[in-house]
């Protein structure tokens, strides 16, 4: 019953909620970002990060540093936090935390399959995979020639198995089929996660519904914009949109027929949650759209911490860390390329 | 008789003065050509630097937007495939400079069976009669059909170039961010600029050699 979580949540979830709120306090602040934006080189960035939670992960890295090294080490911090929480969690929180990994598993599967199609070494591909998305039989993905084999040989024993029902074909894997597979899997995953949160009920269902709906809508917009001018048909494009969200179903009908960014804007401005996002951009421009969406997502994720006794704080913390790592990657790239004037184009501040 | 000889000597003197002036003008012309080439070369180097910076920045933006797993070196295709662009080197005769190496870029040549594909980037130029003159593409609302064969060929060439560009980017997936496409265009322009730099440098060095000989 909604509103009575306070009576029982702390029995199984109290410790981990306290842990995740502690981790949240360790997220970088605006002052930290201002210091990082003034760095002259990547070693300066490493020096500034040594005073943060990332310090112990970067301290042994030799100079010269690379942007990818900073991202990898910061990701290890995220993975360690996650694994600590997962090993302490009981049902249904452990299942909820497992759901957070499935998106990364899908990305890893697509990376291995695409890399194998391009005749890359499997070991090289595995080193590039996201640690949160690893599973035991991941290396065997390189053997499959089509989606049916992919499912039968490897994925049938993984949590992604239920998501394959809509993309089982015997067509050989090529770049477009792989892209469709990626988006179809992610659609099925989001819908499954959404239903799971609805079953949990209470504050978790309410807050996660909002966050997942926003995620589904953002994916719909990105798919639309990225498919403009490609061979993806309108029908195929519509099939990649999730069956929930603020834009479902009428917004999806309109997005499916958009041919340029201004038409996408015309569709999105009819929905109040997205009017503010598109009002920040001028006509014909899509450069700032990513930042606008990230800022809105961060706003919603921070709001999740305003309420207690629900699982959405764990999802929010993981997403905020990922945003922080994206910020660090961006700042590092701008410093490395001597483009410090462009740093504020994509950094999203949280607090 | 002495008068006629004097006139001959004067005429001979005038002719030699005129010949000297002509030679001087020729030298000045070569010098001016060298200085022009040098100026063009420096401008092109600056333009190249700017385009490359833009390209790298757009690539970083695309990685930020799409994620590091979707844009990284492990996705590049190691299968055998022919080059999408080729470079031809020829010798051309240029007035007052003589023989100069000339570099020509063929972008987005189609991958035919013979290995010598049709060059879509130059089809449009040859039809229009001038290099890279911009064409407005009108969507089919007015009902006017392009009756001119040249315009139809240009549109077809544009479509093929667009497909070749998309094919190049497909190593990163079927649906890529507009930022990645922007990065591709920046590097494409940088490649054209590099070829222009090579041509300018070639004429500059030839002009310098001629000045040095004199």
């Amino acid at each position: 019953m909604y509103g009575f979580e306070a009576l029982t949540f702390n029995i199984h979830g109290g410790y981990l909620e306290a842990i995740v709120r502690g981790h949240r306090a360790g997220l970088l602040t605006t002052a930290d970002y201002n210091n990082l934006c003034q760095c002259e080189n990547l070693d300066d960035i490493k020096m500034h990060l040594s005073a943060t939670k990332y310090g112990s992960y970067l301290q042994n890295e030799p100079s010269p540093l690379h942007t990818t090294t900073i991202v990898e080490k910061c990701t290890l911090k995220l993975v360690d936090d996650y694994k600590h929480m997962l090993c302490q969690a009981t049902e249904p929180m452990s299942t909820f935390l497992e759901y957070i990994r499935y998106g990364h598993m899908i990305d890893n599967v697509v990376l291995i399959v695409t890399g194998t199609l391009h005749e890359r070494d499997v070991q090289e591909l595995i080193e590039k995979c996201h640690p949160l998305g690893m599973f035991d039989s991941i290396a065997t993905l390189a053997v499959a020639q089509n989606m049916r084999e992919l499912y039968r040989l490897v994925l049938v024993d993984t949590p992604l198995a239920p998501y394959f029902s809509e993309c089982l074909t015997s067509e050989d894997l090529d770049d477009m089929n792989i892209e469709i597979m990626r988006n179809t899997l992610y659609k099925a995953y989001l819908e499954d996660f959404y239903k799971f949160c609805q079953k949990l009920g209470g504050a978790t269902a309410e807050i996660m519904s909002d966050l997942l709906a926003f995620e589904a809508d953002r994916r719909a917009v990105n798919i639309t914009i990225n498919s403009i001018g490609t061979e993806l048909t309108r029908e195929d494009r519509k099939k990649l949109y999730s069956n929930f969200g603020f834009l479902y179903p009428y917004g999806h009908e309109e997005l499916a027929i958009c041919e340029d960014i201004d038409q996408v804007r015309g569709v999105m401005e009819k929905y109040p949650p997205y009017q503010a996002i598109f009002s920040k951009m001028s006509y014909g421009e899509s450069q700032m759209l990513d930042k606008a969406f990230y800022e809105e997502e961060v706003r919603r994720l921070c709001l999740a911490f305003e309420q207690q006794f629900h699982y959405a704080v764990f999802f929010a913390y993981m997403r905020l860390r990922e945003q922080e790592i994206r910020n660090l990657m961006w700042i590092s790239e701008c410093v490395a390329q001597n483009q410090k004037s462009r740093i504020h184009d994509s950094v999203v501040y949280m607090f | 008789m002495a008068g006629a000889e004097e006139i001959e000597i004067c005429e001979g003197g005038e002719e030699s003065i005129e010949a000297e002036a002509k030679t001087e003008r020729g030298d000045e012309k070569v010098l001016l050509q060298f200085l022009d080439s040098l100026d063009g070369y420096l401008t092109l180097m600056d333009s190249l630097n700017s385009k490359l910076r833009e390209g790298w920045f757009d690539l970083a933006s695309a990685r930020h937007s799409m994620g590091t797993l979707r844009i990284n070196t492990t996705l590049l295709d190691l299968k055998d495939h022919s080059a999408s662009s080729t470079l031809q080197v020829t010798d051309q005769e240029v007035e007052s400079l003589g023989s100069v190496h000339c570099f020509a870029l063929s972008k987005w040549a189609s991958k035919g069976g013979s290995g010598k594909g049709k060059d879509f980037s130059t089809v449009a130029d040859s039809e229009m009669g001038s290099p890279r003159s911009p064409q407005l593409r009108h969507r089919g609302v007015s009902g006017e059909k392009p009756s001119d064969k040249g315009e139809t060929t240009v549109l077809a060439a544009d479509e093929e170039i667009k497909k070749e560009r998309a094919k190049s980017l497909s190593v990163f997936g079927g649906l890529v961010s507009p930022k990645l496409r922007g990065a591709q265009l920046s590097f494409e322009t940088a490649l054209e600029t590099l070829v222009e730099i090579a041509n300018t440098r070639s004429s500059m060095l030839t002009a310098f050699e001629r000045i040095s000989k004199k």
Side-chain angles (χ1 to χ4, degrees):
Chain A
M1 215 184 309
Y2 190 10
F4 289 82
E5 296 93 355
L7 293 175
T8 55
F9 185 88
N10 279 347
I11 298 168
H12 296 290
Y15 167 68
L16 284 176
E17 187 177 349
I19 290 284
V20 83
R21 286 182 184 273
H23 285 322
R24 180 239 193 216
L27 290 167
L28 297 179
T29 60
T30 309
D32 291 321
Y33 284 121
N34 286 338
N35 287 339
L36 288 167
C37 291
Q38 285 166 23
C39 291
E40 291 295 322
N41 52 49
L42 296 183
D43 287 320
D44 279 351
I45 289 180
K46 177 183 159 186
M47 188 189 69
H48 280 286
L49 288 178
S50 64
T52 68
K53 302 279 183 184
Y54 296 114
S56 55
Y57 292 87
L58 283 168
Q59 66 187 10
N60 294 327
E61 289 307 308
S63 295
L65 268 183
H66 292 283
T67 314
T68 44
T69 311
I70 293 176
V71 172
E72 272 169 29
K73 295 304 167 189
C74 293
T75 305
L76 284 182
K77 153 84 179 141
L78 170 71
V79 172
D80 286 346
D81 289 348
Y82 174 83
K83 283 182 177 169
H84 172 75
M85 291 190 294
L86 184 65
C87 73
Q88 302 279 342
T90 57
E91 285 292 341
M93 193 195 292
S94 54
T95 303
F96 182 90
L97 290 174
E98 287 282 355
Y99 266 103
I100 296 174
R101 286 183 54 210
Y102 296 167
H104 296 294
M105 285 171 72
I106 292 170
D107 289 337
N108 285 352
V109 165
V110 173
L111 175 70
I112 302 270
V113 169
T114 308
T116 306
L117 188 70
H118 298 158
E119 295 186 5
R120 304 300 300 230
D121 179 49
V122 173
Q123 210 45 52
E124 195 186 1
L125 294 167
I126 287 173
E127 279 167 19
K128 284 285 180 186
C129 287
H130 197 288
L132 279 182
M134 296 300 282
F135 52 93
D136 290 336
S137 49
I138 194 168
T140 327
L141 287 167
V143 172
Q145 298 293 321
N146 57 52
M147 287 178 228
R148 211 172 280 279
E149 276 184 20
L150 206 63
Y151 173 76
R152 193 173 54 83
L153 294 174
V154 187
L155 298 172
V156 65
D157 294 322
T158 67
L160 300 182
Y163 307 146
F164 261 80
S165 57
E166 285 187 43
C167 37
L168 272 181
T169 67
S170 300
E171 278 180 45
D172 276 349
L173 293 163
D174 64 24
D175 290 315
M176 190 44 101
N177 285 345
I178 291 173
E179 189 68 36
I180 291 175
M181 178 182 79
R182 180 211 307 271
N183 286 289
T184 308
L185 285 176
Y186 211 91
K187 171 190 168 182
Y189 152 64
L190 274 184
E191 287 171 2
D192 189 34
F193 196 5
Y194 184 82
K195 281 181 200 150
F196 175 76
C197 293
Q198 294 293 308
K199 257 196 288 186
L200 289 175
T204 302
E206 186 193 348
I207 299 169
M208 283 304 295
S209 297
D210 179 68
L211 294 174
L212 291 176
F214 180 80
E215 174 72 13
D217 291 341
R218 185 176 58 176
R219 284 191 70 83
V221 170
N222 282 338
I223 287 169
T224 308
I225 292 173
N226 292 349
S227 61
I228 289 170
T230 66
E231 58 191 35
L232 193 71
T233 61
R234 289 173 178 181
E235 291 72 31
D236 284 342
R237 187 197 281 181
K238 198 172 156 202
K239 281 184 202 165
L240 301 180
Y241 300 148
S242 299
N243 294 328
F244 70 101
F246 303 113
L247 297 176
Y248 174 78
Y250 304 111
H252 289 173
E253 299 278 346
E254 291 180 73
L255 279 178
I257 59 173
C258 288
E259 297 284 344
D260 58 48
I261 186 73
D262 289 329
Q263 290 179 13
V264 173
R265 169 199 281 271
V267 171
M268 299 301 286
E269 281 180 341
K270 293 178 196 167
Y271 296 85
Y274 304 114
Q275 260 175 0
I277 291 174
F278 281 82
S279 65
K280 292 179 191 174
M281 291 162 35
S282 49
Y283 279 90
E285 185 211 348
S286 64
Q287 300 290 326
M288 304 304 286
L289 184 61
D290 281 333
K291 183 178 178 184
F293 268 113
Y294 284 137
E295 280 174 346
E296 178 63 19
E297 185 190 21
V298 162
R299 188 188 69 80
R300 289 168 188 245
L301 292 170
C302 291
L303 281 176
F305 286 91
E306 298 299 313
Q307 214 169 327
Q308 273 187 281
F309 313 125
H310 60 88
Y311 297 154
V313 285
F314 300 99
F315 179 82
Y317 169 69
M318 295 297 289
R319 283 299 172 98
L320 286 172
R321 270 282 178 217
E322 282 168 11
Q323 179 60 48
E324 188 174 88
I325 292 170
R326 261 197 299 276
N327 284 345
L328 289 173
M329 188 203 84
W330 180 252
I331 293 171
S332 304
E333 283 284 354
C334 287
V335 165
Q337 292 186 26
N338 202 17
Q339 296 258 28
K340 279 164 54 175
S341 57
R342 306 287 298 269
I343 282 183
H344 298 286
D345 284 3
S346 291
V347 170
V348 177
Y349 299 101
M350 289 168 212
F351 308 111
Chain B
M1 287 297 286
E5 281 176 6
E6 276 176 12
I7 289 167
E8 269 186 30
I9 288 166
C10 284
E11 278 177 359
E14 278 174 11
E15 278 174 9
S16 71
I17 289 168
E18 211 175 294
E20 265 181 40
K22 207 172 175 182
T23 312
E24 230 174 82
R25 277 198 297 273
D27 288 347
E28 280 172 5
K29 193 174 173 186
V30 173
L31 184 61
L32 275 172
Q33 275 174 339
F34 169 72
L35 291 173
D36 276 340
S37 303
L38 186 60
D39 182 57
Y41 178 78
L42 292 171
T43 308
L44 285 171
M45 287 295 281
D46 195 49
S47 169
L48 175 70
N49 186 42
S50 161
K51 271 294 160 194
L52 285 174
R53 267 170 70 83
E54 198 181 308
W56 285 117
F57 189 77
D58 285 343
L59 190 62
S61 298
R63 270 171 63 92
H64 179 263
S65 170
M66 291 169 64
T68 51
L69 278 187
R70 291 203 57 190
I71 300 183
N72 61 71
T73 49
T74 52
L75 290 172
L76 297 176
D77 200 340
L78 288 184
K79 284 191 284 202
D80 287 336
H81 55 273
S82 51
S84 55
S85 300
T86 53
L87 188 70
Q88 292 93 38
V89 186
T90 53
D91 283 327
Q92 266 190 6
E93 285 299 320
V94 177
E95 190 195 333
S96 79
L97 287 180
S99 177
V100 176
H101 292 310
C102 189
F103 302 89
L105 182 69
S106 294
K107 286 191 322 182
W108 306 117
S110 74
K111 293 149 182 69
S114 63
K116 281 189 184 179
K118 188 174 168 188
D119 173 16
F120 296 108
S121 67
T122 55
V123 164
D125 296 346
S126 61
E127 288 293 340
M128 294 309 298
S130 61
R132 269 178 232 104
S133 49
Q135 269 289 299
L136 285 176
R137 292 179 61 194
H138 299 279
R139 293 190 179 252
V141 175
S142 64
E144 285 179 19
K145 290 178 187 173
S147 55
D148 187 10
K149 187 188 168 191
E151 207 174 312
T152 315
T153 316
V154 164
L155 288 174
D158 270 350
E159 277 303 310
E160 286 297 331
I161 290 173
K162 216 169 144 182
K163 277 185 196 162
E164 292 293 328
R165 283 199 181 112
K167 208 170 164 186
S168 280
L169 282 185
S170 64
V171 290
F172 300 116
L175 303 178
V176 296
S177 163
K179 290 172 186 172
L180 192 62
R181 295 193 192 121
Q184 185 185 42
L185 283 174
S186 296
F187 287 125
E188 202 178 306
T189 311
L191 183 62
E192 288 167 16
T193 310
L194 271 170
V195 173
E196 276 183 59
I197 286 173
N199 282 326
T200 308
R201 190 179 158 88
S202 174
S203 61
M204 194 173 76
L205 288 173
T206 309
F208 182 72
E209 263 177 55
R210 289 191 66 128
I211 293 168
S212 304
K213 278 177 192 166
K214 287 175 183 169

